[in-house]
Amino acid sequence: VELLRVTYRFDVPAAEAEARAEAVAREQTVEVPRAVVDREPYLAEAIVGRVEAVAPGDDGAMRATIAYPAATTAHDPAQLLNVVFGMTSLQPDATCVELEVPAGIRSALGGPRFGLEGLRKATAVADRALTCTAVKPMGRSPEALAELMGCFARAGIDVVKDDQGLADHAFCPFEARVRACLRAVRRAAEETGRASVYAPNLIGAPSIVFEQLRVAEDLGAAAVMASPMLIGLPVFWELSRRSSVPVLAHPSFAGAQRFATDLLFGGILRLYGADAVIFVGTGGRYGTPRETCLALADRLRRPWGDLLPSLPVPGGGIQLEEVSGLVSLYGRDVMLLVGGSLQVEAGAVEARSRAFVAAVREASAG
Amino acid sequence: VELLRVTYRFDVPAAEAEARAEAVAREQTVEVPRAVVDREPYLAEAIVGRVEAVAPGDDGAMRATIAYPAATTAHDPAQLLNVVFGMTSLQPDATCVELEVPAGIRSALGGPRFGLEGLRKATAVADRALTCTAVKPMGRSPEALAELMGCFARAGIDVVKDDQGLADHAFCPFEARVRACLRAVRRAAEETGRASVYAPNLIGAPSIVFEQLRVAEDLGAAAVMASPMLIGLPVFWELSRRSSVPVLAHPSFAGAQRFATDLLFGGILRLYGADAVIFVGTGGRYGTPRETCLALADRLRRPWGDLLPSLPVPGGGIQLEEVSGLVSLYGRDVMLLVGGSLQVEAGAVEARSRAFVAAVREASAG
């Protein structure tokens, strides 16, 4: 069986690290109580991660390596992230520090299609370090940026990228900018005999990004750039597969975990169109503070201009006994998500589900 | 002028907060030295953020509210994130805690298309709290999950979503699963007279996600689910615009900032196809430790199965005087990104660019 090995750092006492690792090995795969896994041996064999090593790292914090069957990733770029760090990324004591990617997943994703040598070829620089700068700032016209591009190109800078803040602005539209900058590159090349590589910034929802790629290729751009953590890693991956020129990755938004919880789940997800927002609620395995949960639920439902309210969906380890208290806490405009706990007792899924339904009806009537 | 207000928490001494906020107001927009902004007054007027308030918050940490001209976001779902928290998310002392979104951006994004009331309508639940659970675990066949779906549906659970770990696995393909679960919903409804809403999990690169949406709609799913931080927030937004049924947001991968820096930039971005990876290097405005930078650059270039090497591109505030030292540090297989510092001196862009090019050539020859 092909294995994907992931190493996590757990900021927990050494004595708890083994149990923490076992919990993560289940959380990242089956996400059901251990009782369910124990009843179905093929889950333990073919799906659940296996804890291979637990030991302190150089910094004294505990490290655990978990081997997941590669098949759990479906060899898909999004599901891979899900298995590696999906739910565990929400637990504040865990950091993902290392990956050992088996050959099957490496070849399914494929990595760089041009890579280091592709950029050397595009820039015609055989063996020295390369130079790069950016046309900027946001706010200048395509003509002003093209003038800057001309300076850089005549000076012989190898790669000139757009600033990551250049989008399809009314004051500097994407196509006009790319056209003007490429014209400046060609003019400079007529003078110097050597062409800089200009890499336009692709940014937007995926249909926009792929359309911008087509425009950039048609106009003759020799490279493109995008911010993977901003447009989405799986989008970046698809972009790298579609592009006929090298793709530069920009770090923008890579630290996005540092949004306040209520802003991300209560504000941003509503703005981005979520009709219902699942979050890891108070209690359970994630320990989101009660006030944060209430603030988040309130933001999803309260008036916000013309935006429709969204339905808050607390989850993340709710037990049947907690249902009534949670309806009191959130009120009626809520959907309670109870997962693995409905399956904990063999042969009793339907009965436990009925108890869940009855508890919510009763609490809502009260 | 329409304004987008963003509030950040800065974990800095009170006396430094004002300067920190001023720096962020530039960083998130023009990202050039103040001298450039001072020479071009329209930048300060129409593009750069304005610091409106700096004061300690309830927790004692400093808060600053910055008003950005809405036009900087291009009213685009990806560029909005870029302006709100793109580069600043990479600075460990900053957290984005609040947003005040003007009407123009709200209506450009649009928010939920069905929302809370749409889910009440889909489930035919007028005024009580709703119930939700998940078909799981990963590893079961479509038939086994459909049997579980039948239990939940007969018990009267309102919404049954896929576990977020259910992808298009060989052992449980997407279409077969959705078909089997919807059949179970219909059978239960014949018994009980009331249909549960089943929400399949959409996951993959964008072309896969949109194809899965089409399949789910064609088969008659009354809702769908996706993980916005995993597939990308702009992808989620486009999904919410395309979907004819309510869209549930799942929190998976929302804490992804807690990847080790060298793993994310050195390993994951290479695996996902980046030909060159821009990162915020040692020195400059981000303070990435030197060893992290070297580890990252090494990972991008060293042998890794059949994957091509990627080109490391350190940036984030490199000064001309530092160029030679950085080439010594990283070696020749590197591209140095020098941005705003080429524009700091009026009328000297081409001369400073030539100095940059010469410094890299000289250091590479040494």
Side-chain angles (χ1 to χ4, degrees), chain A residues 266-330:
Chain A
I268 291 178
L269 288 179
R270 179 171 170 193
L271 183 63
Y272 277 74
D275 297 293
V277 175
I278 301 171
F279 60 98
V280 291
T282 188
R285 301 187 297 276
Y286 298 87
T288 314
R290 184 187 159 102
E291 319 76 66
T292 307
C293 294
L294 285 175
L296 185 170
D298 179 53
R299 284 186 83 132
L300 286 171
R301 297 177 297 197
R302 73 188 183 206
W304 190 12
D306 294 333
L307 300 192
L308 296 181
S310 295
L311 183 62
V313 189
I318 297 176
Q319 302 303 309
L320 285 188
E321 320 68 276
E322 297 174 298
V323 162
S324 169
L326 290 172
V327 174
S328 307
L329 183 68
Y330 292 108

Side-chain angles (χ1 to χ4, degrees), chain A residues 76-88:
Chain A
D76 172 273
Q79 174 66 3
L80 173 64
L81 299 173
N82 213 359
V83 171
V84 166
F85 205 37
M87 293 308 287
T88 298

Side-chain angles (χ1 to χ4, degrees), chain A residues 135-201:
Chain A
V135 287
K136 53 163 56 169
M138 181 204 304
R140 285 189 181 149
S141 65
E143 296 66 35
L145 293 173
E147 197 187 313
L148 196 59
M149 178 75 235
C151 286
F152 295 145
R154 287 190 300 275
I157 290 183
D158 300 311
V159 174
V160 181
K161 66 174 192 67
D162 275 345
D163 187 45
Q164 81 286 347
L166 302 188
D168 189 26
H169 288 106
F171 49 78
C172 186
F174 178 83
E175 184 165 348
R177 179 174 81 245
V178 175
R179 196 183 290 278
C181 286
L182 286 171
R183 195 182 305 126
V185 167
R186 283 189 286 265
R187 274 196 202 141
E190 284 164 20
E191 271 183 46
T192 66
R194 187 171 166 274
S196 293
V197 168
Y198 165 61
N201 179 43

